[in-house]
Structures are given as C-alpha cells and as structure tokens.
Amino acid sequence: MLPTVPLLRRGEVYRSLDVQEICPVQGGEPVARITMANSGLIKRDLLNLTEGRKALQKYTTQDLLDITLRAGDIFLKDELPIGDEGIMQGPEEYLHALAATSGLPHSLIRMNMERLHGVFAQVPTILKGLSRGMSTEVLDLAYGSQSGVTVSFVPTTSALGVVLPSNSAAVNALWIPAIAMKTPVVLKPGREEPWTPWRVIQSFIKAGAPPEAFSFYPAHHDGSSAIIRNCKRVMLFGGDDTVKQYENDPRVEVHGAGRSKIIIGDDEIENWKDHLDLMVRSISANSGRSCINASCVIVPKYADEIASALAEELLTMKVRDQDDPEATLSGFANPKMAEWINGAIEDGLDEGGAKDISLEKRDGSERYVQKDGMHYMVPTIVRCDSIEHPIGNTEFLFPYASIIEMPQDQMLGSIGKSLAVAAITKDSSWLDELIFADHIERLNVGAMPTNHIEWDQPHEGNLFEFLYRRRSIQVA
C-alpha cells in the first residue's frame, strides 16, 4: 500500500481530491502519493490562525523547550505515522523515501538528520542567542526585566508561513525554533521533499506539542502565493527571480543565493596551503547545496595555484551510487536544473575571462554526468579575471567556486552582499572594516569555514526579532 502524505489543517489530517504520485528520481514505480491543497482552501484556513497560538500559549516557554528536546530524539529514532491510515515510517524508511525523490545520497541524508537533531537539542541556546539572553518568562507574561530594564514583546504574526525548497532537508532547521517562541507554523513543502517537514511536525506532536500549531499544505505555485499574501511573517526559499520580488517586503524573510565567500588577506596569503582544507570544506560540504557554502574565493595573489589545488582536491567527489558510504555528491531531482546550471557555466566560459580549471584535471571528461537515471554536476573550479564576470559571483547548487585575484584594499568594496564571509587574516585594521561592513551577514574570522555555525548566532536574520516586536510598557 502506497503511503499518502495528506494535508494538515491546524493539525487535522485532510485529503483533497487532487492526489498526485511522487515517483523516484531514477524512474520506476511511485513511492508515495501526496494530497495537494488549492489556494482557495489555504486562504480560507489562513483567515483564522489564532487557534494555534492559543494552543501554544497554554504552555510555558520552558515546557515548549522541553518538548523540542524530546522531539529531536523522536525525529532521529522513532517510527512516525504517514497520514492516518496506520502506515508508519521509521528513520530508515524516511531515509530511503527522501533519497528516492530528492537524489540525495544516503550519507548526506544521515548527516542532515544528525544536524536537525542538533538543532532540536540546541534550541535553548538558539533562543538565548536570538533574544540576547532574555528570560523565557518574558514570553510567558508578555513583559519582564532584562538587565534591570523592563521589557515587553508582542507577536508580529499569528503564524509563521514557510515556503520550503526541495534541494536540502537541513533548511527545516530554520523554522524549528518558532514553536518554542509560541508561534504556529504554516508549511508549504517542496514537491520532492515533503518527508522532512512532515517528520519534524510528527516528532513535535508525539513529543507533546499541540497539533493545532501545525499546518502543512503541499501545493502548486498558487498555494505558495496564498501563504505569502496571507501570513504576516513568511520565510521564503527560492532562486533569485523568486526572492527578488519580496526582498523589500518586511513581512518576508527571503532565503535565496547566499553568495558566500572566502577572502584571504595579505598577511596570510603566503600560508594559503595551510587553509586549503578550510576552502575545500567551505565549497563542498553538503554537496555545495547550502547558502553558506563558499561560491567565490578572493585572494591578493596565487589565484592560479589555489584554483589548481582546489580543483585537484575536489576530484575526490565522484559520482557514486546513492547507498555508497563514500558518496558525497548529490544528484538533481529535476534534470532541467542540472542542464540549466551546466549551460550557464558554459555560456560564461564562452564569454572569455574565465577558465574551467577542473576540466583540465578531469582530462576533459564532462561536467554534467548521468548515472543510473540520476543527473549530477561534477565539482567545478573556475578561474575568473574579475568578480564582475557573469560566473564570477554566482552561486550554483553543487560544489562550485570562482577564484579571483585582486588587491586586499579592493575586496570589501567588490564582494557585494554576502551571506557568509570567512576572513582569513589577522590584520586588525582590515578586520575592523569587515566587522562594520553592512553587506556581510555572517562574518567568520580566522581559520573557520563559511559553513561553520555557532548555535547562539542568528543564521540569516534574527527569527525572534522577526516574530516579536518590542513595545513600551509601564507597570504600576
């Protein structure tokens, strides 16, 4: 019997008449069915979101933190229901379902499962960091004291809308802390990846969270639009064209291309070989699919040597079977995405001013590879003459980076908006400039890759400040 992934309407299982099959990336028989929500149903449900918040308000913040901790262990270890037909999915069944529909290798899925478990476990630290150490009682009472000052916070929304992608399970980490902040969630999963958000929801419910706090709407683009228009706070994942529409909308926290970078200062460039592993990890971790993967390395000299060394190191990431323990390269669920990426790189190379260094290391073998019905992009290092080149400051969903040479004093003014920057330098005056740069979202100083995360630091925007606003209060 095929499992059917249903809708959740404030915790209630619901099946519409629009039921579609989810087929494996490699072809073959469907692995599941998924119930689709239309925009009218979503709009109607979003007219009343207060029920979920009222259900969460019955718990203290500490209660919800405890529930979140339990949910993490459940997510990692337990069997959980798919729908209400008695079909259960354990960790291994979840892994195989996700691998079948997303193209992710088993090793990366296990890594992301552990990462999500880590997020559940670290939510107390995450909340402390986001709220700058504020007592959890402030959210329970709506006011309290912080550092001797009376503070009060009110919600900015009745629910957090989340429009999720299909390319990485780990992005679900970003909405998990909302439950401890007493904010219900309205999730629209990626078509090939309903498994992770559904499993996270079921883990929360089994751990004791109120079901009314969770809505889950597999939908087409009109469903995404309905969530964006009708939620006062939205977390949106997508490509440049998608997020550009909302980049100036304060209701929408956009998560698009990070264009994260590594920059090496004059004082450390002679030691570049010591930082080669850091550069490789920044570019290739999670198969290069995270917005905090480095897509550009900027150095004051030795760009040719660094590009050659990186291309050589990344050759170890080969196309392998999904269940191969050594597999670290993800396939693409949508072959058109792989074709588009490959075409964009070729077009950039044809313009001149850029050279594919990896091509030489691969003895001319193809960048775009098909194996057993799966579509892959092989790691690519491109040496660009300028960061202004069409593929000089571009992010792709695979291990890709451009290597650019420019004087140190030009780097900060040239890199543009960057989600994460790993600055390899001990130059205190330059570090002061980097620290005050408002176009760098995350700054990793010293021997730290771009994908390194500290739990008490915001990822991309401060979720607490997104979901709550401070107000003045006087208490007699």
Side-chain angles (χ1 to χ4, degrees):
M1 181 179 179
L2 278 182
T4 300
V5 182
L7 312 181
L8 281 180
R9 304 175 70 183
R10 295 188 291 276
E12 292 289 330
V13 171
Y14 178 83
R15 288 185 178 82
S16 71
L17 296 178
D18 184 1
V19 179
Q20 300 186 4
E21 293 180 337
I22 310 177
C23 294
V25 178
Q26 294 172 294
E29 294 298 315
V31 294
R33 297 186 182 91
I34 187 166
T35 302
M36 305 296 288
N38 62 54
S39 60
L41 179 145
I42 295 173
K43 290 175 188 175
R44 188 162 60 251
D45 285 359
L46 297 186
L47 290 174
N48 180 17
L49 291 171
T50 58
E51 184 180 339
R53 180 172 287 281
K54 286 179 180 177
L56 287 170
Q57 285 175 330
K58 294 176 182 178
Y59 298 78
T60 67
T61 304
Q62 187 57 54
D63 289 339
L64 294 173
L65 289 172
D66 293 339
I67 287 171
T68 303
L69 293 176
R70 290 197 297 272
D73 289 335
I74 291 169
F75 173 83
L76 197 61
K77 301 173 183 177
D78 284 16
E79 286 195 340
L80 294 165
I82 297 289
D84 59 355
E85 297 176 320
I87 297 176
M88 305 294 286
Q89 187 186 66
E92 286 300 307
E93 289 83 7
Y94 158 73
L95 181 151
H96 285 93
L98 180 52
T101 61
S102 70
L104 292 168
H106 295 189
S107 61
L108 286 188
I109 294 174
R110 294 187 197 281
M111 181 194 76
N112 282 322
M113 289 174 70
E114 291 290 346
R115 182 179 174 188
L116 286 171
H117 177 258
V119 171
F120 281 108
Q122 294 294 333
V123 162
T125 303
I126 292 170
L127 181 56
K128 185 177 180 180
L130 295 179
S131 66
R132 300 179 179 88
M134 185 180 72
S135 169
T136 57
E137 293 180 358
V138 173
L139 290 185
D140 299 332
L141 302 174
Y143 73 95
S145 179
Q146 184 176 19
S147 302
V149 176
T150 300
V151 293
S152 178
F153 291 90
V154 291
T156 58
T157 182
S158 297
L160 172 64
V162 187
V163 179
L164 291 159
S166 288
N167 55 46
S168 178
V171 299
N172 290 276
L174 298 182
W175 65 264
I176 285 174
I179 300 304
M181 297 181 204
K182 302 191 177 187
T183 305
V185 290
V186 177
L187 307 181
K188 187 268 177 189
R191 191 180 184 283
E192 291 85 19
E193 220 289 71
W195 311 109
T196 305
W198 176 270
R199 186 169 179 83
V200 171
I201 288 171
Q202 295 303 316
S203 300
F204 266 118
I205 293 173
K206 185 173 181 179
E212 301 94 322
F214 302 94
S215 295
F216 179 82
Y217 297 111
H220 301 293
H221 291 303
D222 63 331
S224 299
S225 298
I227 291 172
I228 293 169
R229 286 195 300 267
N230 292 278
C231 286
K232 292 182 180 178
R233 289 293 185 268
V234 178
M235 190 180 284
L236 172 65
F237 297 83
D240 287 346
D241 291 343
T242 301
V243 301
K244 191 172 182 61
Q245 304 171 55
Y246 302 100
E247 62 184 357
N248 296 316
D249 188 336
R251 301 178 308 108
V252 182
E253 183 180 88
V254 296
H255 296 264
R259 293 184 172 85
S260 299
K261 298 171 180 73
I262 298 168
I263 54 177
I264 304 180
D266 291 330
D267 61 325
E268 282 291 329
I269 192 59
E270 299 297 336
N271 305 319
W272 68 265
K273 291 181 182 178
D274 296 337
H275 306 298
L276 188 60
D277 181 61
L278 180 152
M279 289 186 267
V280 169
R281 282 187 289 148
S282 296
I283 295 165
S284 64
N286 198 33
S287 195
R289 292 199 168 190
S290 301
C291 51
I292 51 177
N293 282 118
S295 54
C296 188
V297 179
I298 307 172
V299 295
K301 56 181 177 178
Y302 303 131
D304 292 336
E305 293 86 344
I306 291 171
S308 178
L310 285 172
E312 190 74 43
E313 289 290 324
L314 289 169
L315 276 175
T316 58
M317 295 183 73
K318 300 183 183 299
V319 175
R320 303 176 187 272
D321 293 335
Q322 279 186 294
D323 58 358
D324 187 329
E326 301 297 318
T328 55
L329 197 61
S330 293
F332 286 85
N334 183 354
K336 291 182 179 179
M337 176 61 73
E339 293 168 5
W340 177 84
I341 291 172
N342 194 50
I345 294 172
E346 287 300 321
D347 289 345
L349 293 170
D350 288 344
E351 288 199 17
K355 184 178 182 181
D356 184 351
I357 306 301
S358 300
L359 183 63
E360 301 170 358
K361 304 292 183 181
R362 296 196 308 266
D363 297 323
S365 61
E366 295 294 326
R367 183 188 309 110
Y368 173 31
V369 177
Q370 297 182 49
K371 175 180 167 62
D372 300 329
M374 195 78 75
H375 300 256
Y376 296 88
M377 291 291 292
V378 175
T380 298
I381 296 295
V382 172
R383 173 75 172 93
C384 288
D385 292 346
S386 167
I387 197 168
E388 303 298 329
H389 191 279
I391 55 174
N393 188 18
T394 304
E395 178 178 311
F396 297 114
L397 289 172
F398 79 112
Y400 168 91
S402 60
I403 315 301
I404 294 158
E405 190 172 298
M406 71 172 67
Q408 176 182 300
D409 60 6
Q410 295 179 17
M411 291 182 188
L412 187 56
S414 301
I415 61 174
K417 189 174 181 181
S418 306
L419 174 56
V421 170
I424 302 174
T425 182
K426 295 175 182 146
D427 181 340
S428 59
S429 61
W430 193 38
L431 280 172
D432 285 343
E433 293 181 50
L434 294 169
I435 288 169
F436 284 101
D438 64 357
H439 55 294
I440 297 175
E441 183 79 17
R442 304 168 61 93
L443 181 62
N444 292 352
V445 178
M448 193 180 298
T450 56
N451 64 315
H452 179 84
I453 291 175
E454 295 287 346
W455 295 115
D456 62 352
Q457 296 296 306
H459 170 67
E460 188 174 359
N462 186 312
L463 184 61
F464 177 76
E465 294 174 357
F466 191 54
L467 298 179
Y468 283 85
R469 65 174 177 84
R470 186 179 173 184
R471 67 175 172 193
S472 297
I473 188 168
Q474 293 86 40
V475 181

